[in-house]
Amino acid sequence: QPRSKSSRRWALVAAASALVVGVGLLAQSIIPVGSPGAPVEANALEQLAQVARTTPIPADGYLRETVKYVSIDSGVTFTSSTTRWVASDGWVWDATVNSQAPLKTFEKSPTLADDAATALLPKNLPSDPNVLEQQMEDRYAKLMTHSNRNPAQVREHRAPSMFAAIYGRLSDPRTAQSDRVILLRTLPLIDGLTIENTTDPENRPALAVRVAYPGEMDNVDLVASIYFDPTNGDPLAYEERTTQGALWRRQVVTDRRIVAALPERIVKVLGTQRVKKAVGFGG
């Protein structure tokens, strides 16, 4: 497959394909605890859940979002950039530029192209975070029955896989506000979660949420972080670093806004009819 496709898939978890993330950095929250005796992580994410919202998309408009991706493989850095336009009925148009090939791809679909988060998350989320956490554990256990990991590795990868799955659903601009609230309230139930007030890779104020596990690739332990906008709960970025701080993978939302129409180039290549279509251009 084109590198642009693989670079778009890395951050969304498919437990069956063994996507995992990890953290080894010390982090602490500087957000005031909201309830006496409650865990700091739960209080911080509860505050985030209370401001979380979904941006309404006008019937005659689109939500435009640009996401930049970086991944490092054997010392080689790969980059790509995807801009997508989401209609009010959920259809998505996207354009991806891969700087390595170079390769351009265009796709139109009723779903996000790589919504692998469905592997661990039910389509309709329950209203109780504890119920959702148990459902995710059950789905993970079922998927891991076909894995070649040993029991210890299965346990170690459960938390980061759940972490990445929640990110995958939250990063979908179509996710309803009620679901965002449940997902944010489920995050602190994941083992090993830590939080920190900091800035994201674009130097924007952010709440960083992290989780840890021993890595598998090249025996490198990784640090996985989701950076949230503290004003509205939007995920700003997701990245993985080694415990020594070296970048492994990253995706950053650099622009998000409502626009009135699709660009002329997108309409020319993909059209506006609700029919799935994918087109690739090399060079």
Side-chain angles (χ1 to χ4, degrees):
Q1 292 185 351
R3 183 71 198 184
S4 60
K5 286 294 182 183
S6 62
S7 65
R8 294 171 62 201
R9 287 190 172 89
W10 67 263
L12 299 180
V13 71
S17 65
L19 173 63
V20 289
V21 292
V23 176
L25 298 180
L26 175 64
Q28 68 177 37
S29 171
I30 56 176
I31 295 178
V33 176
S35 304
V40 173
E41 290 79 5
N43 279 276
L45 289 165
E46 176 59 31
Q47 292 184 31
L48 204 62
Q50 291 176 11
V51 300
R53 62 178 183 268
T54 297
T55 302
I57 303 174
D60 57 349
Y62 302 85
L63 186 145
R64 179 185 183 276
E65 193 173 60
T66 298
V67 187
K68 293 184 178 180
Y69 302 84
V70 178
S71 62
I72 299 174
D73 186 3
S74 301
V76 179
T77 299
F78 297 90
T79 64
S80 66
S81 177
T82 295
T83 298
R84 61 190 179 192
W85 294 262
V86 183
S88 58
D89 62 359
W91 272 78
V92 181
W93 288 252
D94 66 61
T96 297
V97 178
N98 186 318
S99 63
Q100 272 66 43
L103 180 73
K104 296 180 180 179
T105 59
F106 299 85
E107 189 165 354
K108 178 177 55 174
S109 173
T111 61
L112 292 183
D114 301 305
D115 191 10
T118 54
L120 293 186
L121 286 167
K123 181 178 180 181
N124 298 316
L125 303 185
S127 58
D128 187 336
N130 291 284
V131 173
L132 178 57
E133 190 265 347
Q134 185 60 57
Q135 288 180 355
M136 294 180 72
E137 287 194 3
D138 292 344
R139 283 173 171 242
Y140 177 79
K142 184 176 180 179
L143 286 168
M144 287 301 102
T145 58
H146 305 292
S147 170
N148 58 1
R149 293 175 180 159
N150 61 46
Q153 290 174 324
V154 169
R155 288 192 300 271
E156 292 165 350
H157 291 73
R158 181 177 60 193
S161 294
M162 293 169 62
F163 182 79
I166 289 176
Y167 168 77
R169 184 67 64 87
L170 286 172
S171 66
D172 185 338
R174 303 164 305 176
T175 299
Q177 179 177 345
S178 58
D179 285 348
R180 293 181 183 278
V181 170
I182 295 303
L183 291 165
L184 288 167
R185 289 174 174 167
T186 303
L187 264 179
L189 302 179
I190 294 177
D191 293 338
L193 205 75
T194 59
I195 60 176
E196 178 187 16
N197 264 351
T198 183
T199 56
D200 81 335
E202 293 288 306
N203 204 34
R204 298 170 291 193
L207 175 70
V209 183
R210 301 183 170 115
V211 68
Y213 87 107
E216 287 184 317
M217 295 179 291
D218 301 325
N219 295 316
V220 175
D221 292 347
L222 300 177
V223 176
S225 303
I226 303 174
Y227 295 89
F228 289 103
D229 185 333
T231 66
N232 59 19
D234 281 346
L236 299 171
Y238 181 106
E239 74 173 10
E240 298 174 28
R241 290 181 176 271
T242 68
T243 51
Q244 288 73 41
L247 181 64
W248 196 266
R249 299 184 180 94
R250 172 193 290 160
Q251 71 176 51
V252 183
V253 177
T254 59
D255 181 57
R256 183 186 286 123
R257 55 180 143 151
I258 298 296
V259 296
L262 294 170
E264 182 179 343
R265 171 66 168 165
I266 297 299
V267 174
K268 181 178 180 180
V269 174
L270 295 175
T272 58
Q273 293 183 341
R274 269 47 175 177
V275 178
K276 292 185 68 173
K277 185 176 182 180
V279 180
F281 297 94

